[in-house]
Amino acid sequence: MQQIYPKSDRLLEPFTSRLVPDFMDTHLIHPDLRFNSYGSYLRRRFGCRVSKVNVDGGFTCPNRDGNRGVGGCIYCDNRSFSPDTIEETIPIESQLLAGMAYHRTRLGSEKFIVYFQKYSNTYAPVARLRELYFRALDHPDVVGISVGTRPDCLSDEALDLLEEIARERYVCLELGLQSMDEKTLHWLNRCHDFSEYRVALERSAGRGFEICTHLIHGFPGESRESFLKAAEIISSLPVDSLKIHQLHAVRGTVLAEMYFRGEFIPLTHQQYVTSVCDFLERLPPRITIQRLYGSAPLAIRVAPEWNLKNNRMWYSIVHELKRRGTWQGCRLTGACPALPSLQRVIGDS
């Protein structure tokens, strides 16, 4: 992935106007966050604040409609990540305007990436995809699109369309993997395996658009060590960015029923923070971090109940990296300070 930086030095002031330790590359690792945040990357690339606006294109999934399976993933209830303004009956243009207004007011955003999020957003005839994608791109303040989908929902025609758009606009393809363990993928009712994800990456790489992968930590039977091993594997793949979040249960899902039966015990907050920081230390700085946690509306949230607002979750990870004196990728160069094992997992149980 070629990174494009603004020519104006003024645009880099948030990253260079303070004293930055020599061990950090100021073009990649944010000195306050200690990792390569996606928001910082977008600001460097486009020269202004860019926000993602979620829209619902009315898609479904092959493990819901019977093509691969039925019932969907055991944790999946799209109310957990879909704002109230996102409904498939609302025109794309109306959803977009509502989301843009929200981010302009809340964050002062100037440009936007339209995020086709709900279910599998390449799972339709290419004519339908073309219509939706180009309607989203029609607004002058939209710089590109981000398309969430599954590894088994990428036709040649869909990939060709994304490549076509990427010649002129920003495009990010988001592949939901969640786990690299075949037993876990089966347990989740993902209805695809890790080899299909690898094939999807091979078919998508080198087409001019970015690739993001989604991972979840906290599956029963998966160890912390296997989660950290995923950082090593991701590092060897053509992945440009990552989304990571904890396994959490919301009402109306199979996972919530398992929690109530005592079959799913979620990670503690400290366990999660410890593992994510260990993961980041093993991840190359070239990979941007789009997400570090998941959240769900209080009305449908079941577990874990950490009672932390989004910004507190984000900064609990940042503060742990600062406490350790570490940063994204430091273990790859042997630059991380050697912490006693007891100190590294403080509060872990």
Side-chain angles (χ1 to χ4, degrees):
M1 176 186 71
Q2 181 182 8
Q3 296 199 344
I4 302 173
Y5 303 107
K7 294 181 180 180
S8 170
D9 291 338
R10 179 181 62 82
L11 296 172
L12 292 178
E13 285 179 359
F15 307 97
T16 59
S17 61
R18 60 177 68 87
L19 180 62
V20 179
D22 292 338
F23 55 71
M24 291 187 185
D25 183 337
T26 57
H27 285 297
L28 296 176
I29 303 297
H30 193 291
D32 288 336
L33 302 178
R34 291 180 173 255
F35 56 84
N36 184 7
S37 76
Y38 187 62
S40 298
Y41 161 67
L42 291 177
R43 185 185 288 269
R44 293 195 300 266
R45 175 162 181 165
F46 295 104
C48 64
R49 190 178 196 99
V50 180
S51 288
K52 293 174 74 172
V53 176
N54 298 359
V55 297
D56 182 348
F59 296 94
T60 185
C61 282
N63 67 340
R64 284 181 171 269
D65 65 8
N67 189 7
R68 278 291 185 100
V70 293
C73 302
I74 66 171
Y75 55 77
C76 187
D77 184 321
N78 276 271
R79 292 175 300 171
S80 66
F81 53 71
S82 297
D84 293 338
T85 56
I86 308 305
E87 297 289 346
E88 61 185 84
T89 56
I90 302 175
I92 289 290
E93 293 80 2
S94 299
Q95 297 181 45
L96 177 57
L97 290 175
M100 291 169 61
Y102 171 79
H103 286 290
R104 287 188 200 278
T105 301
R106 179 173 174 265
L107 298 173
S109 303
E110 300 175 55
K111 298 293 181 181
F112 303 91
I113 294 169
V114 182
Y115 180 22
F116 289 88
Q117 179 187 35
K118 191 174 181 181
Y119 298 130
S120 299
N121 295 268
T122 56
Y123 189 49
V126 71
R128 175 62 172 160
L129 302 180
R130 178 178 290 274
E131 176 203 356
L132 288 172
Y133 297 167
F134 277 95
R135 281 169 59 187
L137 289 163
D138 191 50
H139 194 283
D141 289 335
V142 170
V143 297
I145 58 173
S146 193
V147 180
T149 193
R150 289 163 49 96
D152 56 357
C153 292
L154 287 173
S155 66
D156 291 338
E157 293 79 10
L159 288 172
D160 289 343
L161 174 60
L162 294 176
E163 182 176 6
E164 174 190 339
I165 296 172
R167 295 189 189 108
E168 301 292 336
R169 311 291 287 275
Y170 175 86
V171 176
C172 182
L173 176 65
E174 301 196 24
L175 291 176
L177 173 60
Q178 319 313 352
S179 173
M180 296 185 178
D181 184 271
E182 301 292 2
K183 291 182 180 178
T184 299
L185 291 174
H186 178 75
W187 177 78
L188 288 173
N189 194 41
R190 286 292 294 175
C191 298
H192 71 73
D193 57 27
F194 182 63
S195 65
E196 289 177 279
Y197 165 78
R198 293 291 298 263
V199 170
L201 277 183
E202 292 171 2
R203 295 174 59 229
S204 303
R207 289 176 173 263
F209 52 77
E210 296 183 5
I211 301 173
C212 175
T213 290
H214 295 199
L215 291 175
I216 296 176
H217 182 41
F219 294 118
E222 276 196 19
S223 67
R224 176 172 160 272
E225 287 69 27
S226 66
F227 176 64
L228 299 183
K229 179 68 174 178
E232 178 183 339
I233 297 173
I234 286 290
S235 301
S236 69
L237 299 174
V239 172
D240 301 293
S241 61
L242 273 182
K243 286 185 174 180
I244 307 170
H245 71 79
Q246 77 281 12
L247 181 61
H248 61 273
V250 296
R251 296 190 183 280
T253 63
V254 174
L255 186 62
E257 296 172 3
M258 295 177 67
Y259 173 76
F260 291 130
R261 294 195 301 264
E263 298 171 6
F264 162 52
I265 301 175
L267 296 174
T268 67
H269 172 241
Q270 186 57 51
Q271 284 175 324
Y272 182 73
V273 169
T274 297
S275 293
V276 168
C277 289
D278 288 345
F279 186 101
L280 290 174
E281 292 170 4
R282 291 161 171 79
L283 193 71
R286 69 170 180 82
I287 297 176
T288 58
I289 305 301
Q290 291 206 33
R291 183 176 64 194
L292 285 173
Y293 60 90
S295 61
L298 183 60
I300 63 172
R301 187 184 310 160
V302 172
E305 187 55 78
W306 291 339
N307 293 318
L308 293 173
K309 294 182 178 179
N310 287 351
N311 61 337
R312 290 180 64 194
M313 261 305 308
W314 177 271
Y315 279 104
S316 63
I317 295 171
V318 173
H319 292 329
E320 173 61 9
L321 288 172
K322 289 183 176 180
R323 183 190 71 82
R324 297 179 179 195
T326 61
W327 58 95
Q328 181 181 339
C330 65
R331 294 201 167 273
L332 302 177
T333 61
C336 284
L339 296 182
S341 59
L342 181 62
Q343 183 181 2
R344 177 162 295 282
V345 295
I346 185 170
D348 200 5
S349 60

